[in-house]
Amino acid sequence: MVRKAIAEKGVVTLRADKTTANPEADTLQKLLGLESQGLPILAVFCGSNPTHPQVLTDVYGKQDVLRVLETCSATDSAPAKLETAQAR
């Protein structure tokens, strides 16, 4: 369901792994105001409002992700998702 919604919305996905030092992911986490937040963090940047991402943190499920993706219209230009995840 989530992969289908991502494809339908034209979402570009990026993943930042913080298992080891990752200055770029640290910078984004700080810019999002989440430097003290636990992982994982999911930020959805919709093309219609790219400076105000929808953010999910800690524990979230498929329905939470689908709800956030619904806020992006199918006509948004190049919405992007960045996920910062812990090692599994």
Side-chain angles (χ1 to χ4, degrees):
M1 289 175 78
V2 172
R3 288 180 191 212
K4 181 179 177 185
I6 286 170
E8 288 174 353
K9 299 283 185 175
V11 173
V12 176
T13 62
L14 306 169
R15 184 180 183 128
D17 187 345
K18 291 187 58 160
T19 305
T20 59
N22 188 330
E24 293 86 2
D26 293 339
T27 299
L28 181 60
Q29 193 173 355
K30 185 175 182 178
L31 288 171
L32 290 171
L34 300 170
E35 58 269 334
S36 63
Q37 185 64 45
L39 299 176
I41 297 169
L42 175 76
V44 177
F45 297 84
C46 297
S48 60
N49 197 3
T51 59
H52 294 90
Q54 302 278 338
V55 178
L56 298 173
T57 60
D58 297 323
V59 179
Y60 52 85
K62 290 179 184 178
Q63 291 304 317
D64 300 312
V65 175
L66 290 170
R67 182 176 31 81
V68 169
L69 288 172
E70 280 299 312
T71 68
C72 296
S73 72
T75 59
D76 276 350
S77 59
K81 173 193 76 127
L82 176 75
E83 180 176 351
T84 304
Q86 293 175 316
R88 305 217 183 255

PDB file of all heavy atoms in Angstrom, residues 52-80:
ATOM      1  N   HIS A  52       7.922  23.069   4.551  1.00  0.00           N
ATOM      2  CA  HIS A  52       7.215  22.643   5.760  1.00  0.00           C
ATOM      3  C   HIS A  52       6.911  21.140   5.675  1.00  0.00           C
ATOM      4  O   HIS A  52       5.786  20.753   5.353  1.00  0.00           O
ATOM      5  CB  HIS A  52       5.929  23.444   5.950  1.00  0.00           C
ATOM      6  CG  HIS A  52       6.188  24.885   6.225  1.00  0.00           C
ATOM      7  ND1 HIS A  52       6.280  25.825   5.224  1.00  0.00           N
ATOM      8  CD2 HIS A  52       6.412  25.531   7.390  1.00  0.00           C
ATOM      9  CE1 HIS A  52       6.532  26.995   5.767  1.00  0.00           C
ATOM     10  NE2 HIS A  52       6.627  26.850   7.073  1.00  0.00           N
ATOM     11  N   PRO A  53       7.903  20.309   5.967  1.00  0.00           N
ATOM     12  CA  PRO A  53       7.686  18.865   5.847  1.00  0.00           C
ATOM     13  C   PRO A  53       6.740  18.325   6.911  1.00  0.00           C
ATOM     14  O   PRO A  53       6.623  18.887   7.998  1.00  0.00           O
ATOM     15  CB  PRO A  53       9.088  18.289   6.033  1.00  0.00           C
ATOM     16  CG  PRO A  53       9.775  19.292   6.900  1.00  0.00           C
ATOM     17  CD  PRO A  53       9.242  20.632   6.462  1.00  0.00           C
ATOM     18  N   GLN A  54       6.077  17.256   6.556  1.00  0.00           N
ATOM     19  CA  GLN A  54       5.291  16.476   7.516  1.00  0.00           C
ATOM     20  C   GLN A  54       6.285  15.511   8.156  1.00  0.00           C
ATOM     21  O   GLN A  54       7.030  14.833   7.437  1.00  0.00           O
ATOM     22  CB  GLN A  54       4.201  15.685   6.785  1.00  0.00           C
ATOM     23  CG  GLN A  54       3.251  16.529   5.995  1.00  0.00           C
ATOM     24  CD  GLN A  54       2.159  17.106   6.880  1.00  0.00           C
ATOM     25  OE1 GLN A  54       1.868  16.597   7.941  1.00  0.00           O
ATOM     26  NE2 GLN A  54       1.563  18.185   6.414  1.00  0.00           N
ATOM     27  N   VAL A  55       6.321  15.425   9.482  1.00  0.00           N
ATOM     28  CA  VAL A  55       7.332  14.627  10.159  1.00  0.00           C
ATOM     29  C   VAL A  55       6.678  13.586  11.055  1.00  0.00           C
ATOM     30  O   VAL A  55       5.754  13.888  11.815  1.00  0.00           O
ATOM     31  CB  VAL A  55       8.267  15.527  11.000  1.00  0.00           C
ATOM     32  CG1 VAL A  55       9.295  14.687  11.748  1.00  0.00           C
ATOM     33  CG2 VAL A  55       8.961  16.553  10.121  1.00  0.00           C
ATOM     34  N   LEU A  56       7.172  12.359  10.950  1.00  0.00           N
ATOM     35  CA  LEU A  56       6.787  11.271  11.849  1.00  0.00           C
ATOM     36  C   LEU A  56       8.048  10.818  12.571  1.00  0.00           C
ATOM     37  O   LEU A  56       9.120  10.740  11.956  1.00  0.00           O
ATOM     38  CB  LEU A  56       6.190  10.097  11.071  1.00  0.00           C
ATOM     39  CG  LEU A  56       4.911  10.371  10.288  1.00  0.00           C
ATOM     40  CD1 LEU A  56       4.547   9.147   9.449  1.00  0.00           C
ATOM     41  CD2 LEU A  56       3.780  10.727  11.222  1.00  0.00           C
ATOM     42  N   THR A  57       7.938  10.536  13.857  1.00  0.00           N
ATOM     43  CA  THR A  57       9.110  10.105  14.615  1.00  0.00           C
ATOM     44  C   THR A  57       8.792   8.881  15.463  1.00  0.00           C
ATOM     45  O   THR A  57       7.633   8.543  15.694  1.00  0.00           O
ATOM     46  CB  THR A  57       9.601  11.227  15.556  1.00  0.00           C
ATOM     47  OG1 THR A  57       8.556  11.567  16.467  1.00  0.00           O
ATOM     48  CG2 THR A  57      10.029  12.453  14.780  1.00  0.00           C
ATOM     49  N   ASP A  58       9.855   8.257  15.928  1.00  0.00           N
ATOM     50  CA  ASP A  58       9.795   7.106  16.834  1.00  0.00           C
ATOM     51  C   ASP A  58       9.025   5.943  16.232  1.00  0.00           C
ATOM     52  O   ASP A  58       9.521   5.287  15.348  1.00  0.00           O
ATOM     53  CB  ASP A  58       9.237   7.508  18.196  1.00  0.00           C
ATOM     54  CG  ASP A  58      10.111   8.514  18.912  1.00  0.00           C
ATOM     55  OD1 ASP A  58      11.345   8.403  18.800  1.00  0.00           O
ATOM     56  OD2 ASP A  58       9.570   9.422  19.550  1.00  0.00           O
ATOM     57  N   VAL A  59       7.807   5.712  16.673  1.00  0.00           N
ATOM     58  CA  VAL A  59       7.023   4.568  16.208  1.00  0.00           C
ATOM     59  C   VAL A  59       5.883   5.077  15.332  1.00  0.00           C
ATOM     60  O   VAL A  59       5.090   5.904  15.761  1.00  0.00           O
ATOM     61  CB  VAL A  59       6.444   3.777  17.400  1.00  0.00           C
ATOM     62  CG1 VAL A  59       5.607   2.610  16.909  1.00  0.00           C
ATOM     63  CG2 VAL A  59       7.568   3.299  18.312  1.00  0.00           C
ATOM     64  N   TYR A  60       5.852   4.593  14.102  1.00  0.00           N
ATOM     65  CA  TYR A  60       4.756   4.933  13.203  1.00  0.00           C
ATOM     66  C   TYR A  60       4.501   3.727  12.308  1.00  0.00           C
ATOM     67  O   TYR A  60       5.360   2.880  12.095  1.00  0.00           O
ATOM     68  CB  TYR A  60       5.034   6.196  12.384  1.00  0.00           C
ATOM     69  CG  TYR A  60       6.355   6.200  11.648  1.00  0.00           C
ATOM     70  CD1 TYR A  60       6.472   5.608  10.395  1.00  0.00           C
ATOM     71  CD2 TYR A  60       7.475   6.788  12.207  1.00  0.00           C
ATOM     72  CE1 TYR A  60       7.681   5.603   9.718  1.00  0.00           C
ATOM     73  CE2 TYR A  60       8.687   6.791  11.535  1.00  0.00           C
ATOM     74  CZ  TYR A  60       8.781   6.207  10.297  1.00  0.00           C
ATOM     75  OH  TYR A  60       9.974   6.197   9.641  1.00  0.00           O
ATOM     76  N   GLY A  61       3.291   3.651  11.795  1.00  0.00           N
ATOM     77  CA  GLY A  61       2.907   2.510  10.971  1.00  0.00           C
ATOM     78  C   GLY A  61       2.528   2.915   9.560  1.00  0.00           C
ATOM     79  O   GLY A  61       2.585   4.096   9.179  1.00  0.00           O
ATOM     80  N   LYS A  62       2.108   1.929   8.784  1.00  0.00           N
ATOM     81  CA  LYS A  62       1.744   2.160   7.386  1.00  0.00           C
ATOM     82  C   LYS A  62       0.638   3.201   7.251  1.00  0.00           C
ATOM     83  O   LYS A  62       0.697   4.054   6.367  1.00  0.00           O
ATOM     84  CB  LYS A  62       1.287   0.854   6.729  1.00  0.00           C
ATOM     85  CG  LYS A  62       2.390  -0.145   6.514  1.00  0.00           C
ATOM     86  CD  LYS A  62       1.847  -1.411   5.889  1.00  0.00           C
ATOM     87  CE  LYS A  62       2.954  -2.442   5.760  1.00  0.00           C
ATOM     88  NZ  LYS A  62       2.439  -3.697   5.189  1.00  0.00           N
ATOM     89  N   GLN A  63      -0.361   3.114   8.112  1.00  0.00           N
ATOM     90  CA  GLN A  63      -1.476   4.060   8.025  1.00  0.00           C
ATOM     91  C   GLN A  63      -1.021   5.489   8.295  1.00  0.00           C
ATOM     92  O   GLN A  63      -1.514   6.431   7.677  1.00  0.00           O
ATOM     93  CB  GLN A  63      -2.605   3.662   8.990  1.00  0.00           C
ATOM     94  CG  GLN A  63      -3.314   2.391   8.592  1.00  0.00           C
ATOM     95  CD  GLN A  63      -3.892   2.450   7.171  1.00  0.00           C
ATOM     96  OE1 GLN A  63      -4.477   3.449   6.755  1.00  0.00           O
ATOM     97  NE2 GLN A  63      -3.716   1.377   6.415  1.00  0.00           N
ATOM     98  N   ASP A  64      -0.064   5.650   9.206  1.00  0.00           N
ATOM     99  CA  ASP A  64       0.485   6.987   9.473  1.00  0.00           C
ATOM    100  C   ASP A  64       1.179   7.535   8.231  1.00  0.00           C
ATOM    101  O   ASP A  64       1.001   8.702   7.863  1.00  0.00           O
ATOM    102  CB  ASP A  64       1.486   6.939  10.640  1.00  0.00           C
ATOM    103  CG  ASP A  64       0.866   6.451  11.920  1.00  0.00           C
ATOM    104  OD1 ASP A  64      -0.221   6.950  12.291  1.00  0.00           O
ATOM    105  OD2 ASP A  64       1.472   5.571  12.565  1.00  0.00           O
ATOM    106  N   VAL A  65       1.966   6.691   7.572  1.00  0.00           N
ATOM    107  CA  VAL A  65       2.685   7.110   6.368  1.00  0.00           C
ATOM    108  C   VAL A  65       1.695   7.438   5.251  1.00  0.00           C
ATOM    109  O   VAL A  65       1.821   8.459   4.570  1.00  0.00           O
ATOM    110  CB  VAL A  65       3.693   6.040   5.918  1.00  0.00           C
ATOM    111  CG1 VAL A  65       4.361   6.428   4.600  1.00  0.00           C
ATOM    112  CG2 VAL A  65       4.732   5.790   7.002  1.00  0.00           C
ATOM    113  N   LEU A  66       0.682   6.605   5.079  1.00  0.00           N
ATOM    114  CA  LEU A  66      -0.323   6.853   4.042  1.00  0.00           C
ATOM    115  C   LEU A  66      -1.066   8.162   4.308  1.00  0.00           C
ATOM    116  O   LEU A  66      -1.330   8.930   3.380  1.00  0.00           O
ATOM    117  CB  LEU A  66      -1.314   5.689   3.970  1.00  0.00           C
ATOM    118  CG  LEU A  66      -0.744   4.382   3.414  1.00  0.00           C
ATOM    119  CD1 LEU A  66      -1.726   3.243   3.609  1.00  0.00           C
ATOM    120  CD2 LEU A  66      -0.362   4.536   1.949  1.00  0.00           C
ATOM    121  N   ARG A  67      -1.364   8.435   5.564  1.00  0.00           N
ATOM    122  CA  ARG A  67      -2.053   9.683   5.920  1.00  0.00           C
ATOM    123  C   ARG A  67      -1.199  10.894   5.534  1.00  0.00           C
ATOM    124  O   ARG A  67      -1.692  11.865   4.971  1.00  0.00           O
ATOM    125  CB  ARG A  67      -2.363   9.702   7.417  1.00  0.00           C
ATOM    126  CG  ARG A  67      -3.116  10.929   7.879  1.00  0.00           C
ATOM    127  CD  ARG A  67      -3.505  10.885   9.350  1.00  0.00           C
ATOM    128  NE  ARG A  67      -2.600  10.156  10.229  1.00  0.00           N
ATOM    129  CZ  ARG A  67      -1.466  10.650  10.734  1.00  0.00           C
ATOM    130  NH1 ARG A  67      -1.079  11.865  10.444  1.00  0.00           N
ATOM    131  NH2 ARG A  67      -0.712   9.911  11.548  1.00  0.00           N
ATOM    132  N   VAL A  68       0.100  10.821   5.812  1.00  0.00           N
ATOM    133  CA  VAL A  68       0.998  11.917   5.456  1.00  0.00           C
ATOM    134  C   VAL A  68       1.104  12.049   3.940  1.00  0.00           C
ATOM    135  O   VAL A  68       1.069  13.159   3.403  1.00  0.00           O
ATOM    136  CB  VAL A  68       2.386  11.717   6.105  1.00  0.00           C
ATOM    137  CG1 VAL A  68       3.403  12.685   5.538  1.00  0.00           C
ATOM    138  CG2 VAL A  68       2.291  11.875   7.615  1.00  0.00           C
ATOM    139  N   LEU A  69       1.232  10.932   3.237  1.00  0.00           N
ATOM    140  CA  LEU A  69       1.324  10.983   1.776  1.00  0.00           C
ATOM    141  C   LEU A  69       0.066  11.590   1.157  1.00  0.00           C
ATOM    142  O   LEU A  69       0.141  12.233   0.115  1.00  0.00           O
ATOM    143  CB  LEU A  69       1.587   9.597   1.205  1.00  0.00           C
ATOM    144  CG  LEU A  69       2.983   9.037   1.439  1.00  0.00           C
ATOM    145  CD1 LEU A  69       3.061   7.585   1.003  1.00  0.00           C
ATOM    146  CD2 LEU A  69       4.036   9.873   0.732  1.00  0.00           C
ATOM    147  N   GLU A  70      -1.079  11.402   1.799  1.00  0.00           N
ATOM    148  CA  GLU A  70      -2.326  11.971   1.295  1.00  0.00           C
ATOM    149  C   GLU A  70      -2.290  13.496   1.287  1.00  0.00           C
ATOM    150  O   GLU A  70      -3.020  14.128   0.542  1.00  0.00           O
ATOM    151  CB  GLU A  70      -3.528  11.488   2.112  1.00  0.00           C
ATOM    152  CG  GLU A  70      -4.002  10.120   1.729  1.00  0.00           C
ATOM    153  CD  GLU A  70      -4.458  10.047   0.276  1.00  0.00           C
ATOM    154  OE1 GLU A  70      -5.234  10.926  -0.165  1.00  0.00           O
ATOM    155  OE2 GLU A  70      -4.037   9.121  -0.427  1.00  0.00           O
ATOM    156  N   THR A  71      -1.442  14.096   2.117  1.00  0.00           N
ATOM    157  CA  THR A  71      -1.352  15.557   2.147  1.00  0.00           C
ATOM    158  C   THR A  71      -0.638  16.099   0.916  1.00  0.00           C
ATOM    159  O   THR A  71      -0.722  17.286   0.642  1.00  0.00           O
ATOM    160  CB  THR A  71      -0.633  16.063   3.419  1.00  0.00           C
ATOM    161  OG1 THR A  71       0.737  15.689   3.386  1.00  0.00           O
ATOM    162  CG2 THR A  71      -1.302  15.536   4.676  1.00  0.00           C
ATOM    163  N   CYS A  72       0.063  15.226   0.199  1.00  0.00           N
ATOM    164  CA  CYS A  72       0.736  15.626  -1.046  1.00  0.00           C
ATOM    165  C   CYS A  72      -0.185  15.299  -2.206  1.00  0.00           C
ATOM    166  O   CYS A  72      -0.668  14.178  -2.312  1.00  0.00           O
ATOM    167  CB  CYS A  72       2.048  14.861  -1.233  1.00  0.00           C
ATOM    168  SG  CYS A  72       3.293  15.183   0.008  1.00  0.00           S
ATOM    169  N   SER A  73      -0.420  16.256  -3.069  1.00  0.00           N
ATOM    170  CA  SER A  73      -1.271  15.981  -4.222  1.00  0.00           C
ATOM    171  C   SER A  73      -0.466  15.251  -5.287  1.00  0.00           C
ATOM    172  O   SER A  73       0.764  15.334  -5.324  1.00  0.00           O
ATOM    173  CB  SER A  73      -1.839  17.282  -4.790  1.00  0.00           C
ATOM    174  OG  SER A  73      -0.833  18.008  -5.444  1.00  0.00           O
ATOM    175  N   ALA A  74      -1.139  14.566  -6.160  1.00  0.00           N
ATOM    176  CA  ALA A  74      -0.476  13.821  -7.228  1.00  0.00           C
ATOM    177  C   ALA A  74       0.214  14.758  -8.204  1.00  0.00           C
ATOM    178  O   ALA A  74       1.078  14.336  -8.967  1.00  0.00           O
ATOM    179  CB  ALA A  74      -1.481  12.938  -7.960  1.00  0.00           C
ATOM    180  N   THR A  75      -0.138  16.034  -8.194  1.00  0.00           N
ATOM    181  CA  THR A  75       0.460  16.989  -9.118  1.00  0.00           C
ATOM    182  C   THR A  75       1.622  17.752  -8.502  1.00  0.00           C
ATOM    183  O   THR A  75       2.202  18.613  -9.146  1.00  0.00           O
ATOM    184  CB  THR A  75      -0.594  18.001  -9.610  1.00  0.00           C
ATOM    185  OG1 THR A  75      -1.138  18.685  -8.463  1.00  0.00           O
ATOM    186  CG2 THR A  75      -1.698  17.314 -10.372  1.00  0.00           C
ATOM    187  N   ASP A  76       1.959  17.462  -7.254  1.00  0.00           N
ATOM    188  CA  ASP A  76       3.121  18.110  -6.631  1.00  0.00           C
ATOM    189  C   ASP A  76       4.348  17.830  -7.476  1.00  0.00           C
ATOM    190  O   ASP A  76       4.553  16.726  -7.963  1.00  0.00           O
ATOM    191  CB  ASP A  76       3.378  17.562  -5.222  1.00  0.00           C
ATOM    192  CG  ASP A  76       2.526  18.248  -4.167  1.00  0.00           C
ATOM    193  OD1 ASP A  76       1.894  19.265  -4.490  1.00  0.00           O
ATOM    194  OD2 ASP A  76       2.510  17.766  -3.032  1.00  0.00           O
ATOM    195  N   SER A  77       5.181  18.841  -7.637  1.00  0.00           N
ATOM    196  CA  SER A  77       6.398  18.644  -8.428  1.00  0.00           C
ATOM    197  C   SER A  77       7.500  18.083  -7.556  1.00  0.00           C
ATOM    198  O   SER A  77       7.940  18.722  -6.609  1.00  0.00           O
ATOM    199  CB  SER A  77       6.836  19.967  -9.057  1.00  0.00           C
ATOM    200  OG  SER A  77       7.067  20.923  -8.047  1.00  0.00           O
ATOM    201  N   ALA A  78       7.888  16.874  -7.848  1.00  0.00           N
ATOM    202  CA  ALA A  78       8.991  16.184  -7.190  1.00  0.00           C
ATOM    203  C   ALA A  78       8.956  16.236  -5.675  1.00  0.00           C
ATOM    204  O   ALA A  78       9.874  16.706  -5.038  1.00  0.00           O
ATOM    205  CB  ALA A  78      10.323  16.725  -7.700  1.00  0.00           C
ATOM    206  N   PRO A  79       7.880  15.726  -5.021  1.00  0.00           N
ATOM    207  CA  PRO A  79       7.932  15.632  -3.588  1.00  0.00           C
ATOM    208  C   PRO A  79       9.011  14.628  -3.198  1.00  0.00           C
ATOM    209  O   PRO A  79       9.344  13.740  -3.975  1.00  0.00           O
ATOM    210  CB  PRO A  79       6.532  15.133  -3.197  1.00  0.00           C
ATOM    211  CG  PRO A  79       6.026  14.460  -4.419  1.00  0.00           C
ATOM    212  CD  PRO A  79       6.676  15.162  -5.592  1.00  0.00           C
ATOM    213  N   ALA A  80       9.572  14.767  -2.030  1.00  0.00           N
ATOM    214  CA  ALA A  80      10.649  13.883  -1.617  1.00  0.00           C
ATOM    215  C   ALA A  80      10.440  13.413  -0.198  1.00  0.00           C
ATOM    216  O   ALA A  80       9.875  14.109   0.622  1.00  0.00           O
ATOM    217  CB  ALA A  80      11.988  14.593  -1.732  1.00  0.00           C
TER     218      ALA A  80
END
